[in-house]
Amino acid sequence: MCPDCEDFARTVLLLGHLATYAETPGADAAFVEVVGPALAVSLPEPPPGLFPDESA
């Protein structure tokens, strides 16, 4: 596995869990507003081949 693949996958997973939590009744909206953007900014470059080539 590439060096950043595990970090990328873990961060995407955390974003997914945060999105699920945000939809939970009684979720702390301030927490979601702070943590969501922080996680998104911390995403490393996606692993090679994860997304189609933009030139196609």
Side-chain angles (χ1 to χ4, degrees):
M1 186 176 269
C2 67
D4 291 332
C5 291
E6 187 176 342
D7 289 339
F8 184 84
R10 184 181 301 120
T11 305
V12 169
L13 183 65
L14 287 169
L15 282 165
H17 286 296
L18 183 65
T20 301
Y21 169 73
E23 297 299 319
T24 303
D28 184 344
F31 175 80
V32 174
E33 287 179 26
V34 170
V35 174
L39 280 173
V41 167
S42 74
L43 275 170
E45 287 292 315
L50 184 65
F51 298 110
D53 186 9
E54 292 179 6
S55 63

